Amino acid sequence: VKPEPLKIMISGAPASGKGTQCELITKKYGLVHLAAGDLLRQEISTGSEHGKQAKEYMERGQLVPNEIVVMMVKECLLKPDSKENGWLLDGYPRSTSQATALKEFGFEPDLFILLDVSEDLLVERVVGRRLDPVTGKIYHLKYSPPESKEIASRLTQRFDDTEEKVKLRLHTHHQNVEAVLSMYGDITIKIDGNGSKEEVFSQIDNALTNLLEQKKAASGSI
Ligand code: AP5
């Protein structure tokens, strides 16, 4: 019997490294990466009414209303690719009501990863972050500089990546994180996210390897 694919949630403060770790996880484990923030930014780029509303909340560093976020995430989780290959949900749920909605739709994660990073590092990571609009890759001027001048010249910065806005985003994170954690207590692993991206990934990699072994054993495939 083929084991069930992995279903993982990853959370952490703004700029704690969720997107960076998700790139490494999907590369090795082939899961479908669904990032609530990326879905919202795509919606903004279409110029839709939902996109316009979402941007107002994101500029204030607040949670976008559930009417917009929940269905967006649900639709992606229901796609055949996510069902077949497993999913890696990044930045969702951020409130108990979002967690409850997911449960009601029948989506239960195997593991809830919490990236733990000290606050002074978060601000430095936000301010130095750059994105490549062509490949979607995440860079940092100091920690992950672009590989060529060509890439460097096309990098962009997110509209909410200023020191002032990250403080608002952090405040929202602190308001919600405990409530969300309390819903996933038994499947949560706290990862020290202060080290290099490779050091952080090796902790996550170990946890996922163990989880896969357990799944294989449970399905009788080893
Ligand atoms: P979202 O896009 O999810 O932003 P966020 O949570 O603030 O997280 P970030 O994307 O900023 O950071 P990250 O943890 O992915 O870090 P990264 O890997 O890029 O959400 C944006 C907004 O959308 C929210 O404020 C809210 O308004 C709305 N929203 C989103 N989800 C929602 C939901 N569920 N409900 C309602 N509203 C929602 O790394 C950051 C930088 O650090 C990069 O430059 C990277 O290169 C560098 N870096 C990463 N790891 C390391 C390392 N180990 N060492 C050195 N540098 C590193």
Side-chain angles (χ1 to χ4, degrees), residues 2-3 10 13 20 23 52 58 76 87 94 97 106 124 130 135 143 161 163 170 177 193 203 206 211:
K2 200 175 163 213
I10 184 160
T20 300
E23 278 182 13
K52 283 182 194 145
M58 291 164 82
C76 290
W87 42 262
R94 294 196 199 215
S97 58
E124 193 194 9
R130 297 293 182 275
T135 60
Y143 299 113
D161 271 357
E163 191 165 343
L170 254 177
V177 63
Q203 299 173 64
N206 282 340
L211 185 59

PDB file of all heavy atoms in Angstrom, residues 2-3 10 13 20 23 52 58 76 87 94 97 106 124 130 135 143 161 163 170 177 193 203 206 211:
ATOM      1  N   LYS A   2       0.545   2.194  -0.866  1.00  0.00           N
ATOM      2  CA  LYS A   2       1.315   3.443  -0.909  1.00  0.00           C
ATOM      3  C   LYS A   2       0.982   4.273   0.330  1.00  0.00           C
ATOM      4  O   LYS A   2      -0.190   4.466   0.645  1.00  0.00           O
ATOM      5  CB  LYS A   2       0.916   4.201  -2.176  1.00  0.00           C
ATOM      6  CG  LYS A   2       1.937   5.224  -2.601  1.00  0.00           C
ATOM      7  CD  LYS A   2       1.533   5.855  -3.927  1.00  0.00           C
ATOM      8  CE  LYS A   2       2.333   7.129  -4.097  1.00  0.00           C
ATOM      9  NZ  LYS A   2       1.623   8.169  -4.792  1.00  0.00           N
ATOM     10  N   PRO A   3       2.032   4.753   1.060  1.00  0.00           N
ATOM     11  CA  PRO A   3       1.703   5.565   2.235  1.00  0.00           C
ATOM     12  C   PRO A   3       1.034   6.867   1.826  1.00  0.00           C
ATOM     13  O   PRO A   3       1.256   7.372   0.731  1.00  0.00           O
ATOM     14  CB  PRO A   3       3.063   5.822   2.888  1.00  0.00           C
ATOM     15  CG  PRO A   3       4.073   5.551   1.846  1.00  0.00           C
ATOM     16  CD  PRO A   3       3.471   4.599   0.859  1.00  0.00           C
ATOM     17  N   ILE A  10       3.543  25.069   8.225  1.00  0.00           N
ATOM     18  CA  ILE A  10       4.728  25.771   8.749  1.00  0.00           C
ATOM     19  C   ILE A  10       4.334  27.184   9.138  1.00  0.00           C
ATOM     20  O   ILE A  10       3.631  27.870   8.397  1.00  0.00           O
ATOM     21  CB  ILE A  10       5.902  25.717   7.742  1.00  0.00           C
ATOM     22  CG1 ILE A  10       7.154  26.346   8.325  1.00  0.00           C
ATOM     23  CG2 ILE A  10       5.552  26.339   6.411  1.00  0.00           C
ATOM     24  CD1 ILE A  10       8.441  25.923   7.618  1.00  0.00           C
ATOM     25  N   ALA A  13       7.053  33.813  12.893  1.00  0.00           N
ATOM     26  CA  ALA A  13       6.921  35.273  12.773  1.00  0.00           C
ATOM     27  C   ALA A  13       7.261  35.723  11.350  1.00  0.00           C
ATOM     28  O   ALA A  13       7.855  34.963  10.583  1.00  0.00           O
ATOM     29  CB  ALA A  13       7.864  35.925  13.773  1.00  0.00           C
ATOM     30  N   THR A  20      11.732  30.446   2.705  1.00  0.00           N
ATOM     31  CA  THR A  20      13.057  29.884   2.407  1.00  0.00           C
ATOM     32  C   THR A  20      13.080  28.386   2.695  1.00  0.00           C
ATOM     33  O   THR A  20      13.558  27.584   1.883  1.00  0.00           O
ATOM     34  CB  THR A  20      14.117  30.609   3.281  1.00  0.00           C
ATOM     35  OG1 THR A  20      14.075  31.993   2.943  1.00  0.00           O
ATOM     36  CG2 THR A  20      15.503  30.052   3.067  1.00  0.00           C
ATOM     37  N   GLU A  23      11.074  26.334   0.126  1.00  0.00           N
ATOM     38  CA  GLU A  23      11.803  26.046  -1.128  1.00  0.00           C
ATOM     39  C   GLU A  23      12.621  24.771  -0.966  1.00  0.00           C
ATOM     40  O   GLU A  23      12.642  23.911  -1.850  1.00  0.00           O
ATOM     41  CB  GLU A  23      12.787  27.187  -1.457  1.00  0.00           C
ATOM     42  CG  GLU A  23      12.171  28.392  -2.142  1.00  0.00           C
ATOM     43  CD  GLU A  23      13.191  29.501  -2.491  1.00  0.00           C
ATOM     44  OE1 GLU A  23      14.434  29.265  -2.428  1.00  0.00           O
ATOM     45  OE2 GLU A  23      12.745  30.602  -2.812  1.00  0.00           O
ATOM     46  N   LYS A  52      -8.015  44.066  -3.787  1.00  0.00           N
ATOM     47  CA  LYS A  52      -7.947  45.438  -3.261  1.00  0.00           C
ATOM     48  C   LYS A  52      -8.193  45.458  -1.759  1.00  0.00           C
ATOM     49  O   LYS A  52      -7.498  46.130  -1.001  1.00  0.00           O
ATOM     50  CB  LYS A  52      -8.990  46.330  -3.953  1.00  0.00           C
ATOM     51  CG  LYS A  52      -8.554  46.740  -5.340  1.00  0.00           C
ATOM     52  CD  LYS A  52      -9.583  47.669  -5.979  1.00  0.00           C
ATOM     53  CE  LYS A  52      -9.295  47.764  -7.471  1.00  0.00           C
ATOM     54  NZ  LYS A  52     -10.480  47.890  -8.288  1.00  0.00           N
ATOM     55  N   MET A  58      -3.139  44.042   4.497  1.00  0.00           N
ATOM     56  CA  MET A  58      -1.713  43.685   4.485  1.00  0.00           C
ATOM     57  C   MET A  58      -0.843  44.917   4.725  1.00  0.00           C
ATOM     58  O   MET A  58       0.194  44.838   5.375  1.00  0.00           O
ATOM     59  CB  MET A  58      -1.358  42.991   3.168  1.00  0.00           C
ATOM     60  CG  MET A  58      -1.997  41.609   3.087  1.00  0.00           C
ATOM     61  SD  MET A  58      -2.018  40.911   1.430  1.00  0.00           S
ATOM     62  CE  MET A  58      -0.369  40.241   1.301  1.00  0.00           C
ATOM     63  N   CYS A  76      -7.114  25.459  -3.137  1.00  0.00           N
ATOM     64  CA  CYS A  76      -5.794  24.918  -3.500  1.00  0.00           C
ATOM     65  C   CYS A  76      -5.566  23.535  -2.902  1.00  0.00           C
ATOM     66  O   CYS A  76      -4.981  22.662  -3.537  1.00  0.00           O
ATOM     67  CB  CYS A  76      -4.687  25.852  -3.032  1.00  0.00           C
ATOM     68  SG  CYS A  76      -4.660  27.362  -3.963  1.00  0.00           S
ATOM     69  N   TRP A  87       0.876  18.226   0.813  1.00  0.00           N
ATOM     70  CA  TRP A  87       0.953  19.693   0.812  1.00  0.00           C
ATOM     71  C   TRP A  87       1.773  20.252   1.963  1.00  0.00           C
ATOM     72  O   TRP A  87       1.994  19.600   2.982  1.00  0.00           O
ATOM     73  CB  TRP A  87      -0.433  20.330   0.780  1.00  0.00           C
ATOM     74  CG  TRP A  87      -1.508  19.714   1.660  1.00  0.00           C
ATOM     75  CD1 TRP A  87      -2.465  18.815   1.260  1.00  0.00           C
ATOM     76  CD2 TRP A  87      -1.747  19.950   3.060  1.00  0.00           C
ATOM     77  NE1 TRP A  87      -3.276  18.496   2.330  1.00  0.00           N
ATOM     78  CE2 TRP A  87      -2.873  19.176   3.431  1.00  0.00           C
ATOM     79  CE3 TRP A  87      -1.138  20.740   4.034  1.00  0.00           C
ATOM     80  CZ2 TRP A  87      -3.387  19.162   4.743  1.00  0.00           C
ATOM     81  CZ3 TRP A  87      -1.647  20.734   5.347  1.00  0.00           C
ATOM     82  CH2 TRP A  87      -2.760  19.944   5.676  1.00  0.00           C
ATOM     83  N   ARG A  94      -3.730  31.223  10.748  1.00  0.00           N
ATOM     84  CA  ARG A  94      -3.200  32.246  11.648  1.00  0.00           C
ATOM     85  C   ARG A  94      -4.201  32.621  12.727  1.00  0.00           C
ATOM     86  O   ARG A  94      -4.017  33.618  13.437  1.00  0.00           O
ATOM     87  CB  ARG A  94      -2.828  33.501  10.864  1.00  0.00           C
ATOM     88  CG  ARG A  94      -1.673  33.249   9.930  1.00  0.00           C
ATOM     89  CD  ARG A  94      -1.040  34.509   9.445  1.00  0.00           C
ATOM     90  NE  ARG A  94      -0.281  34.201   8.264  1.00  0.00           N
ATOM     91  CZ  ARG A  94       0.863  34.784   7.933  1.00  0.00           C
ATOM     92  NH1 ARG A  94       1.380  35.708   8.682  1.00  0.00           N
ATOM     93  NH2 ARG A  94       1.479  34.438   6.840  1.00  0.00           N
ATOM     94  N   SER A  97     -10.110  30.389  14.188  1.00  0.00           N
ATOM     95  CA  SER A  97     -11.223  30.199  13.252  1.00  0.00           C
ATOM     96  C   SER A  97     -10.711  29.645  11.919  1.00  0.00           C
ATOM     97  O   SER A  97     -11.371  28.812  11.290  1.00  0.00           O
ATOM     98  CB  SER A  97     -12.009  31.492  13.050  1.00  0.00           C
ATOM     99  OG  SER A  97     -11.179  32.508  12.572  1.00  0.00           O
ATOM    100  N   GLY A 106     -12.082  18.819   6.541  1.00  0.00           N
ATOM    101  CA  GLY A 106     -11.442  17.500   6.549  1.00  0.00           C
ATOM    102  C   GLY A 106      -9.935  17.517   6.328  1.00  0.00           C
ATOM    103  O   GLY A 106      -9.339  16.479   6.067  1.00  0.00           O
ATOM    104  N   GLU A 124      16.155  42.539  10.661  1.00  0.00           N
ATOM    105  CA  GLU A 124      17.259  42.542   9.698  1.00  0.00           C
ATOM    106  C   GLU A 124      16.901  41.723   8.452  1.00  0.00           C
ATOM    107  O   GLU A 124      17.193  42.110   7.320  1.00  0.00           O
ATOM    108  CB  GLU A 124      18.507  41.958  10.371  1.00  0.00           C
ATOM    109  CG  GLU A 124      19.761  42.207   9.568  1.00  0.00           C
ATOM    110  CD  GLU A 124      20.951  41.365  10.032  1.00  0.00           C
ATOM    111  OE1 GLU A 124      20.782  40.458  10.871  1.00  0.00           O
ATOM    112  OE2 GLU A 124      22.048  41.615   9.509  1.00  0.00           O
ATOM    113  N   ARG A 130      14.880  40.466  -0.717  1.00  0.00           N
ATOM    114  CA  ARG A 130      14.545  40.840  -2.090  1.00  0.00           C
ATOM    115  C   ARG A 130      13.970  39.604  -2.770  1.00  0.00           C
ATOM    116  O   ARG A 130      14.294  38.479  -2.397  1.00  0.00           O
ATOM    117  CB  ARG A 130      15.795  41.299  -2.873  1.00  0.00           C
ATOM    118  CG  ARG A 130      16.473  42.551  -2.340  1.00  0.00           C
ATOM    119  CD  ARG A 130      15.619  43.805  -2.486  1.00  0.00           C
ATOM    120  NE  ARG A 130      16.309  44.998  -2.011  1.00  0.00           N
ATOM    121  CZ  ARG A 130      16.344  45.409  -0.745  1.00  0.00           C
ATOM    122  NH1 ARG A 130      15.727  44.722   0.197  1.00  0.00           N
ATOM    123  NH2 ARG A 130      16.994  46.516  -0.415  1.00  0.00           N
ATOM    124  N   THR A 135      11.880  34.117 -11.217  1.00  0.00           N
ATOM    125  CA  THR A 135      11.918  32.732 -10.707  1.00  0.00           C
ATOM    126  C   THR A 135      11.117  32.556  -9.420  1.00  0.00           C
ATOM    127  O   THR A 135      10.871  31.425  -8.997  1.00  0.00           O
ATOM    128  CB  THR A 135      13.372  32.330 -10.376  1.00  0.00           C
ATOM    129  OG1 THR A 135      13.852  33.240  -9.363  1.00  0.00           O
ATOM    130  CG2 THR A 135      14.267  32.411 -11.600  1.00  0.00           C
ATOM    131  N   TYR A 143      22.556  37.736   3.480  1.00  0.00           N
ATOM    132  CA  TYR A 143      22.635  36.288   3.749  1.00  0.00           C
ATOM    133  C   TYR A 143      22.481  35.389   2.522  1.00  0.00           C
ATOM    134  O   TYR A 143      22.993  34.270   2.527  1.00  0.00           O
ATOM    135  CB  TYR A 143      21.596  35.889   4.805  1.00  0.00           C
ATOM    136  CG  TYR A 143      21.807  36.578   6.126  1.00  0.00           C
ATOM    137  CD1 TYR A 143      20.895  37.520   6.609  1.00  0.00           C
ATOM    138  CD2 TYR A 143      22.943  36.313   6.882  1.00  0.00           C
ATOM    139  CE1 TYR A 143      21.093  38.169   7.812  1.00  0.00           C
ATOM    140  CE2 TYR A 143      23.160  36.957   8.091  1.00  0.00           C
ATOM    141  CZ  TYR A 143      22.229  37.890   8.552  1.00  0.00           C
ATOM    142  OH  TYR A 143      22.444  38.519   9.728  1.00  0.00           O
ATOM    143  N   ASP A 161       7.547  45.250   3.437  1.00  0.00           N
ATOM    144  CA  ASP A 161       8.856  44.939   4.022  1.00  0.00           C
ATOM    145  C   ASP A 161       9.623  46.156   4.510  1.00  0.00           C
ATOM    146  O   ASP A 161      10.786  46.353   4.182  1.00  0.00           O
ATOM    147  CB  ASP A 161       9.715  44.171   3.008  1.00  0.00           C
ATOM    148  CG  ASP A 161       9.513  42.667   3.116  1.00  0.00           C
ATOM    149  OD1 ASP A 161       8.761  42.231   4.005  1.00  0.00           O
ATOM    150  OD2 ASP A 161      10.116  41.936   2.321  1.00  0.00           O
ATOM    151  N   GLU A 163      10.702  48.511   8.078  1.00  0.00           N
ATOM    152  CA  GLU A 163      10.859  48.286   9.516  1.00  0.00           C
ATOM    153  C   GLU A 163       9.557  48.608  10.256  1.00  0.00           C
ATOM    154  O   GLU A 163       9.143  47.897  11.163  1.00  0.00           O
ATOM    155  CB  GLU A 163      12.003  49.150  10.038  1.00  0.00           C
ATOM    156  CG  GLU A 163      12.389  48.765  11.439  1.00  0.00           C
ATOM    157  CD  GLU A 163      13.732  49.331  11.876  1.00  0.00           C
ATOM    158  OE1 GLU A 163      14.526  49.748  11.018  1.00  0.00           O
ATOM    159  OE2 GLU A 163      13.941  49.347  13.098  1.00  0.00           O
ATOM    160  N   LEU A 170       4.514  41.829  13.245  1.00  0.00           N
ATOM    161  CA  LEU A 170       4.957  41.071  14.418  1.00  0.00           C
ATOM    162  C   LEU A 170       3.921  41.122  15.535  1.00  0.00           C
ATOM    163  O   LEU A 170       3.643  40.116  16.200  1.00  0.00           O
ATOM    164  CB  LEU A 170       6.250  41.686  14.955  1.00  0.00           C
ATOM    165  CG  LEU A 170       7.529  40.926  14.706  1.00  0.00           C
ATOM    166  CD1 LEU A 170       8.704  41.723  15.238  1.00  0.00           C
ATOM    167  CD2 LEU A 170       7.491  39.547  15.356  1.00  0.00           C
ATOM    168  N   VAL A 177      -0.468  33.749  17.758  1.00  0.00           N
ATOM    169  CA  VAL A 177       0.288  32.497  17.673  1.00  0.00           C
ATOM    170  C   VAL A 177      -0.084  31.476  18.758  1.00  0.00           C
ATOM    171  O   VAL A 177      -0.224  30.280  18.469  1.00  0.00           O
ATOM    172  CB  VAL A 177       1.824  32.772  17.627  1.00  0.00           C
ATOM    173  CG1 VAL A 177       2.328  33.447  18.871  1.00  0.00           C
ATOM    174  CG2 VAL A 177       2.595  31.492  17.358  1.00  0.00           C
ATOM    175  N   GLY A 193      15.185  28.652  14.526  1.00  0.00           N
ATOM    176  CA  GLY A 193      15.364  29.233  13.195  1.00  0.00           C
ATOM    177  C   GLY A 193      16.432  30.309  13.130  1.00  0.00           C
ATOM    178  O   GLY A 193      16.497  31.056  12.152  1.00  0.00           O
ATOM    179  N   GLN A 203      17.325  20.385  10.649  1.00  0.00           N
ATOM    180  CA  GLN A 203      16.396  19.999  11.737  1.00  0.00           C
ATOM    181  C   GLN A 203      15.037  19.572  11.159  1.00  0.00           C
ATOM    182  O   GLN A 203      14.431  18.592  11.592  1.00  0.00           O
ATOM    183  CB  GLN A 203      16.141  21.169  12.683  1.00  0.00           C
ATOM    184  CG  GLN A 203      17.356  21.725  13.402  1.00  0.00           C
ATOM    185  CD  GLN A 203      16.970  22.996  14.167  1.00  0.00           C
ATOM    186  OE1 GLN A 203      16.172  22.961  15.093  1.00  0.00           O
ATOM    187  NE2 GLN A 203      17.520  24.136  13.782  1.00  0.00           N
ATOM    188  N   ASN A 206      15.257  16.170   9.324  1.00  0.00           N
ATOM    189  CA  ASN A 206      15.224  15.026  10.245  1.00  0.00           C
ATOM    190  C   ASN A 206      13.799  14.694  10.657  1.00  0.00           C
ATOM    191  O   ASN A 206      13.397  13.532  10.668  1.00  0.00           O
ATOM    192  CB  ASN A 206      16.008  15.337  11.534  1.00  0.00           C
ATOM    193  CG  ASN A 206      17.492  15.209  11.322  1.00  0.00           C
ATOM    194  OD1 ASN A 206      17.927  14.556  10.373  1.00  0.00           O
ATOM    195  ND2 ASN A 206      18.268  15.842  12.178  1.00  0.00           N
ATOM    196  N   LEU A 211       8.992  11.216  10.094  1.00  0.00           N
ATOM    197  CA  LEU A 211       7.556  11.155   9.844  1.00  0.00           C
ATOM    198  C   LEU A 211       7.244  10.218   8.672  1.00  0.00           C
ATOM    199  O   LEU A 211       6.315   9.402   8.737  1.00  0.00           O
ATOM    200  CB  LEU A 211       7.057  12.575   9.542  1.00  0.00           C
ATOM    201  CG  LEU A 211       5.575  12.773   9.365  1.00  0.00           C
ATOM    202  CD1 LEU A 211       4.811  12.348  10.605  1.00  0.00           C
ATOM    203  CD2 LEU A 211       5.284  14.246   9.074  1.00  0.00           C
TER     204      LEU A 211
END
